[in-house]
Amino acid sequence: TGNTGKTPEDKVIVFTYELDTTKVDGQDNTKKLEGAEFKLHNAAGKWAIVDGNSKVTGWADTEEGGSKLTSDANGLFKVIGLDDGTYYLKETKAPTGYNQLSSEIAVVITATTTNGQNWTDGQASNALTKLEVTADGTAGTGDISTGIAGITVANNKGSTLPETGGMGTT
C-alpha cells in the first residue's frame, strides 16, 4: 500500500483561446479592410480590456471601459486569452466608405477536451481535441495546435435604405 498518506497529483490545464477576426469587403472577401473598430463583450455584459499584445487583461463593466479593437492593413485584429463560450463583437466604427454593422455579431467558441486525467503523455497539447467557432451561426476555423479560432466579418458599401413604417418626413 505505497499510496498511504499521499494524495495523487491532479493534472490541471486551463485553456484559453485566441480569436482572430478578419474584416473584409462584403462583395469581395479577398479585399481586406483596415480601420474597422470593434469592442468585445462576454455573455455577462463585461467588456474586454486588452493590452498592446492583444491579450485580455481584464473585463470592464462599461462599453467605454472596454478596449478598442482595430483591424490592421490585413483586416485582422486579435483577442488572446478567451475562454470557450459566447461573446459579442460590436462594430463602433466602420472602415471609410463602408456601412457600420447595425447589430452585434454573436461569436461562439466551442472547445472539446479529453475527459478526465488520461490525456496522452502528460502533454497539454494532446488534451484539446476539437476547437470550433461560429460568427452569427457561420462556421469559422479552429486550429487545435495553436488554439486560434478564426472568423471573417464583412462590411458593405452603398446607402442603407430607410426603415419603412415610420412617420415619413415632417
Side-chain angles (χ1 to χ4, degrees):
T1 65
N3 292 335
T4 308
K6 184 167 176 18
T7 304
E9 288 184 27
D10 275 342
K11 301 172 194 166
V12 176
I13 312 174
V14 177
F15 284 101
T16 60
Y17 306 97
E18 175 179 324
L19 177 65
D20 285 8
T21 303
T22 304
K23 195 69 181 165
V24 296
D25 181 292
Q27 302 306 308
D28 176 7
N29 65 9
T30 63
K31 183 178 179 186
K32 311 295 194 265
L33 301 180
E34 183 176 9
E37 295 177 6
F38 285 85
K39 295 209 171 185
L40 178 85
H41 70 87
N42 61 20
K46 304 278 189 187
W47 297 83
I49 302 168
V50 299
D51 65 13
N53 296 318
S54 304
K55 287 191 173 147
V56 175
T57 59
W59 295 90
D61 291 329
T62 63
E63 182 179 339
E64 295 73 32
S67 295
K68 181 170 56 176
L69 310 166
T70 305
S71 62
D72 65 15
N74 297 315
L76 180 68
F77 65 88
K78 301 177 178 191
V79 181
I80 302 169
L82 296 174
D83 294 326
D84 60 342
T86 301
Y87 299 90
Y88 299 90
L89 276 172
K90 178 178 182 180
E91 189 169 54
T92 55
K93 180 181 171 214
T96 305
Y98 288 82
N99 298 324
Q100 185 171 318
L101 299 178
S102 57
S103 58
E104 295 180 344
I105 299 163
V107 178
V108 181
I109 299 172
T110 308
T112 306
T113 54
T114 56
N115 199 5
Q117 300 286 317
N118 55 5
W119 27 277
T120 312
D121 302 330
Q123 295 295 317
S125 58
N126 294 329
L128 179 63
T129 58
K130 193 177 197 184
L131 180 62
E132 298 172 297
V133 61
T134 60
D136 280 346
T138 301
T141 59
D143 185 334
I144 63 171
S145 65
T146 59
I148 296 176
I151 61 170
T152 302
V153 176
N155 276 103
N156 291 307
K157 289 183 171 183
S159 58
T160 54
L161 295 173
E163 291 183 29
T164 58
M167 286 177 50
T169 53
T170 52

